[in-house]
Amino acid sequence: MRLLLLLSAVLLSACSHNAATTNNTTQEQPVQYLTVLHTNDHHGRFWPNDKGEYGMAARATLLKELRLQAANRNDAVLLLSGGDINTGIPESDLQQAEPDFKGMSMLGYDAMAIGNHEFDNPLAVLEKQRQWANFPLLSANIKRKSTGEHAYQPYVFINKNNLNIAVLGLTTTDTAKIANPDFIADFDFIDPTEATTEVLREIERNRPDVIIAVTHMGHYSDAKHGINAPGDVTLARQLPKGAIDMIIGGHSQEPVCMSGVNVNNDAYKPTMQCQPDQQNDVWIMQAHEWGKYVGEARFAIQDEQVTMVSYKLHPVNLKDETGQWSTDFISPDEKMQAFLAPYQAKGQKKLSVTLGNTEIRLEGDRKKVRFMQTNLGQLITTAQKQHVNADFGIISGGGIRDSIAAGDINYKDILRVHPFKNRIGYIDFTGKETLAYVKKVAQYPVDSGAYTHFNGVSAMCEQGKLTNIRINGAAVQPNQTYRMSINSYNAAGGDGFPRLNTDPRFVDTGDSDASVLSAYVKEHSPIGNIKVPKPVTCQ
């Protein structure tokens, strides 16, 4: 529709060219300006970290300053989020992200995309979070299987300075396999391009001046998304040119700052200049993660042309390698800090009790647990095996969310590792089923949340096939029974694992992964050297 309108305007202009020239008049509309501020992948970081970096109170101060500057330029201003407010910091997780959503309301967010981590909790929690937010949570590509209708608000119109701005939301289709399947059983996550095309027919009837997609799908340079679902670049390329003006994204948790055509600057540091991606005339922006930056994009709008004037990523109290502030320190907003402080105190009180200690660093870094077996993966699966008296255990790398430093371990450390409230269960397989299951999950590739950590399993790779699979050093006997420990997320088919929780043999103990690991740490401290086995894979 926007393209048809534009073509019609060009034809009309051509037909009336002589008259317009004779009268020496012009039909140009005045230039209007729009400033779009954005963040993404907040993941519970309402409070500064141990180094005093970021936090919503400092963000509030920065946003006030940026809004004042925009007002002095007479710009319309939007504040958008690329989603994933949930999961990451125990003080937030224990309070169902109440400080985060209410804090975002105080910060004046206009809309956000629904991220995959918005489904880490039962849907009743998400409904509560929608009530805490005074702004819409958007997704145009989540539909109910039972009715075919949108499960959540697909788009919103926002009027600022007489600009009619349409904002539509999109969620990664990977949510179907990485969210808890029990929570999303009635949802279809349809193709984002298909969903966008569908809602644009409705949106265009309202003649918007600007169309923005706020997404949680990931930025993958040159559309090379690997095993991930297609992201923002694919969307921009698949839509007709001019269908939307910009994408405010999230999910891949990076600064989108290009060093060349289809090449992202992976070495981006605070204060460097940032050039967003542009694909098929669509600007694509993302502001890293955790509120570390606030993105600021300024656009000029005239005669249906939306032109970027400037772009900047503003660091929010980030330190450099020497421990110095990378930019001038941003003083926390007193009102926001006073609002958040009771939530922080309440969370700290619950988390401060020491459970035990470790003599070694327990490795749970994302760049390790999705690529290789680690000592923390072994500790977790050992604890879970012991809890259910299993012969072997597994966990997907995406279920390990943080490392634990050498020294004392408290409940906060445990919840950083296990923020999802999964329960521990088990199933008794025959030897034949054990072999089939191990071969299946051993195929999941590195650089994915599905990458499998094994405990009590060994194997060889011969001519590209997994052979000589052994449980605790002994060859698997086809008719023998083997018990496997597994968490409720993977048992429900999370990360694409074979679904087990519908099997009548599956037992859910009801005990959380955090409580099981906590009990193990209490019993076995100090934790010393942990042997990490060779990977069970033919990759």
Side-chain angles (χ1 to χ4, degrees), residues 188-256:
D188 270 330
F189 295 84
I190 68 172
D191 178 75
T193 304
E194 175 188 337
T196 301
T197 302
E198 177 185 315
V199 298
L200 282 176
R201 297 190 190 103
E202 304 171 16
I203 288 172
E204 287 164 350
R205 297 191 193 111
N206 288 273
R207 302 289 298 273
D209 299 299
V210 182
I211 299 178
I212 302 172
V214 59
T215 72
H216 192 83
M217 303 195 304
H219 175 266
Y220 307 110
S221 298
D222 202 19
K224 295 176 180 177
H225 54 86
I227 66 166
N228 302 296
D232 296 333
V233 174
T234 300
L235 174 68
R237 291 179 177 181
Q238 289 182 344
L239 290 171
K241 187 172 288 190
I244 63 175
D245 297 299
M246 70 192 78
I247 296 172
I248 303 297
H251 187 52
S252 51
Q253 298 182 219
E254 62 186 334
V256 174

Side-chain angles (χ1 to χ4, degrees), residues 267-334:
Y268 181 83
K269 301 289 185 184
T271 74
M272 287 183 178
Q273 291 187 336
C274 180
Q275 174 73 8
D277 201 356
Q278 190 178 37
Q279 299 283 337
N280 198 25
D281 282 353
V282 178
W283 289 103
I284 302 174
M285 293 156 275
Q286 189 177 155
H288 203 184
E289 63 185 1
W290 305 353
K292 292 177 178 178
Y293 296 91
V294 172
E296 181 189 27
R298 190 173 188 234
F299 295 90
I301 297 124
Q302 185 179 36
D303 295 329
E304 294 199 357
Q305 295 297 310
V306 179
T307 305
M308 180 174 281
V309 177
S310 62
Y311 185 76
K312 187 174 183 180
L313 283 179
H314 296 273
V316 184
N317 290 346
L318 298 182
K319 288 187 174 180
D320 60 24
E321 293 83 355
T322 68
Q324 302 300 309
W325 298 115
S326 59
T327 54
D328 290 341
F329 180 76
I330 301 171
S331 298
D333 177 79
E334 292 182 1

Side-chain angles (χ1 to χ4, degrees), residues 281-486:
D281 282 353
V282 178
W283 289 103
I284 302 174
M285 293 156 275
Q286 189 177 155
H288 203 184
E289 63 185 1
W290 305 353
K292 292 177 178 178
Y293 296 91
V294 172
E296 181 189 27
R298 190 173 188 234
F299 295 90
I301 297 124
Q302 185 179 36
D303 295 329
E304 294 199 357
Q305 295 297 310
V306 179
T307 305
M308 180 174 281
V309 177
S310 62
Y311 185 76
K312 187 174 183 180
L313 283 179
H314 296 273
V316 184
N317 290 346
L318 298 182
K319 288 187 174 180
D320 60 24
E321 293 83 355
T322 68
Q324 302 300 309
W325 298 115
S326 59
T327 54
D328 290 341
F329 180 76
I330 301 171
S331 298
D333 177 79
E334 292 182 1
K335 181 179 179 182
M336 179 63 77
Q337 187 157 329
F339 172 75
L340 296 174
Y343 289 102
Q344 178 69 4
K346 182 179 179 182
Q348 287 284 341
K349 185 177 180 180
K350 293 182 177 181
L351 300 170
S352 59
V353 177
T354 298
L355 303 172
N357 62 85
T358 175
E359 298 170 347
I360 57 173
R361 173 182 168 86
L362 300 170
E363 187 57 69
D365 185 86
R366 178 188 179 100
K367 294 181 180 179
K368 297 288 182 64
V369 294
R370 296 177 182 231
F371 291 84
M372 64 185 70
Q373 308 291 295
T374 73
N375 56 6
L376 182 54
Q378 287 300 297
L379 181 69
I380 290 168
T381 47
T382 298
Q384 295 175 4
K385 275 175 50 183
Q386 177 179 292
H387 187 68
V388 297
N389 195 27
D391 299 295
F392 71 104
I394 61 134
I395 186 173
S396 58
I400 305 171
R401 305 302 289 193
D402 208 346
S403 299
I404 300 177
D408 288 343
I409 302 175
N410 58 31
Y411 194 51
K412 180 175 181 178
D413 297 317
I414 299 295
L415 288 179
R416 280 177 171 161
V417 173
H418 283 322
F420 299 125
K421 311 174 189 70
N422 291 313
R423 302 173 308 280
I424 303 308
Y426 64 89
I427 188 168
D428 291 333
F429 281 140
T430 65
K432 184 178 180 180
E433 290 170 323
T434 298
L435 292 172
Y437 188 90
V438 169
K439 287 179 180 179
K440 172 69 175 177
V441 301
Q443 296 175 9
Y444 297 144
V446 298
D447 197 15
S448 73
Y451 175 75
T452 309
H453 291 249
F454 291 92
N455 189 303
V457 183
S458 61
M460 295 177 63
C461 182
E462 297 178 334
Q463 298 180 340
K465 293 184 178 180
L466 208 62
T467 63
N468 195 28
I469 297 172
R470 306 175 81 84
I471 302 297
N472 298 318
V476 176
Q477 302 301 315
N479 296 320
Q480 188 172 324
T481 298
Y482 297 90
R483 176 168 295 182
M484 180 183 73
S485 63
I486 186 172

